[in-house]
Amino acid sequence: MLSESSAAPMTEATVTTANGASHPRNNNRRSNNQVVLTNPINYEAKCEKVGGILALKVERFNKKLSYEQFIEKITNYVTKKYTDGADIKLLLTDAKDPIKLYEEKNMPKALSDEDRNDPVKDAILKEEVKQFVMRKNNIGRNVQSAFSLIWGQCSSALQAYVKGQSGYVTATEDYDVTWLLNEAKKASSGIDSSANPYVTMHEAMSVLYKMRQGATEADDSYIERFKNNVTTVEMVQGGHVFYSPGVAGKQVADATTEEIYAAKESSMAVLMLQNSDPARYGELLSSLKKGANLGRDEYPKTVATMYELMVKY
């Protein structure tokens, strides 16, 4: 079941180690994989410099991050620490094939018949091809390293859950970062892959539409929570609610990727304001409504610009 409430209370028992010391142990389990939560609350995973970990929704750790925060931390680490790490940034953020993107942008062009007899241009091309191949090979190595990094930043319980999913063996053999992130995203969001998909989708939508910014909740905390709920809706195949062909004026098949993205951003921006604290932003919402009624649609068109307006208001 999906819920916007805090993680479920943890039931603790003691486990005795080889030296006779007793330590609390979390006995929460997932019904489908019977995962025991074993890491200590101050667990920092394999690479502390990443700055956080990813875990199951029911787990509580000092360094636990939301999926969006986790991807941001991982991406920052990879781009700063890996040689040419920026080449795989879109793999982490948008699931785009880094090899294909690199080839489309950097593939050396063959010399014309006239230039082929020019020894200087021929030497330059050979060097460009050499550098191209070296960097392309490095992308492959970076993908493998990123897979290991992401895996190492997952809690033991999350790892156990992922191991129980079909496709795990193939994904690990292929260093399939996209598959790993998708499975980790679902598990960390509390999505039960064995549940009825329609129930899961409608529960996620209900959580998003019913959420409200708390009276004392900071704007940055609220937008993070909002984004998490949006991501969950999209993960359970409910993302279509953010694009209305009737409102946008185009069927999905006829709209460009950019048009669909812009329409979704506008929709989410409005929803974020509607769910905000009415004591702080009720007048802002009312003002924007009045402006629209007078033919002045002054609603911000993206979540980021709506957030900026709310902060400045």
Side-chain angles (χ1 to χ4, degrees), residues 82-258:
Y82 290 13
T83 301
D84 297 322
D87 289 342
I88 66 169
K89 180 179 179 179
L90 291 180
L91 168 66
L92 302 172
T93 59
D94 297 286
K96 293 186 177 181
D97 184 347
I99 297 291
K100 182 179 179 180
L101 291 175
Y102 180 71
E103 288 178 340
E104 290 175 350
K105 186 177 180 180
N106 300 285
M107 180 74 74
K109 292 181 172 56
L111 295 176
S112 64
D113 292 338
E114 181 181 349
D115 291 339
R116 196 171 296 149
N117 296 320
D118 187 323
V120 175
K121 291 182 178 179
D122 182 61
I124 291 174
L125 177 60
K126 289 180 179 178
E127 183 61 27
E128 287 178 348
V129 170
K130 178 181 177 181
Q131 295 298 322
F132 174 83
V133 173
M134 289 177 59
R135 189 160 173 177
K136 180 179 175 181
N137 289 339
N138 192 54
I139 290 174
R141 289 190 290 270
N142 282 343
V143 170
Q144 293 182 10
S145 297
F147 185 96
S148 299
L149 176 67
I150 294 165
W151 182 252
Q153 296 306 116
C154 295
S155 70
S156 297
L158 178 54
Q159 289 180 348
Y161 172 88
V162 172
K163 286 179 180 179
Q165 305 308 302
S166 60
Y168 168 74
V169 174
T170 301
T172 54
E173 291 175 348
D174 295 341
Y175 295 95
D176 191 338
V177 170
T178 298
W179 181 91
L180 175 58
L181 288 177
N182 283 337
E183 293 302 322
K185 184 195 299 185
K186 287 189 291 186
S188 64
S189 299
I191 296 174
D192 186 352
S193 58
S194 65
N196 181 288
Y198 291 106
V199 172
T200 302
M201 181 180 69
H202 286 297
E203 285 181 344
M205 291 180 183
S206 178
V207 168
L208 174 63
Y209 280 95
K210 290 181 179 179
M211 73 173 292
R212 291 292 180 269
Q213 181 181 19
T216 60
E217 184 177 11
D219 290 329
D220 58 348
S221 175
Y222 168 61
I223 191 175
E224 190 64 39
R225 198 160 56 89
F226 178 81
K227 287 181 176 180
N228 289 343
N229 288 336
V230 167
T231 297
T232 302
V233 168
E234 292 176 331
M235 285 164 45
V236 296
Q237 308 306 314
H240 59 278
V241 300
F242 304 121
Y243 184 85
S244 168
V247 175
K250 284 187 177 181
Q251 295 297 318
V252 173
D254 298 326
T256 66
T257 301
E258 292 74 18

Side-chain angles (χ1 to χ4, degrees), residues 46-51 70-83 85 92 145-146 149 153:
K46 298 295 183 182
C47 183
E48 296 180 13
K49 292 182 179 179
V50 169
F70 179 75
I71 289 299
E72 183 179 352
K73 294 281 188 182
I74 288 289
T75 302
N76 287 341
Y77 183 87
V78 167
T79 54
K80 290 179 181 179
K81 299 296 183 179
Y82 290 13
T83 301
L92 302 172
S145 297
L149 176 67
Q153 296 306 116

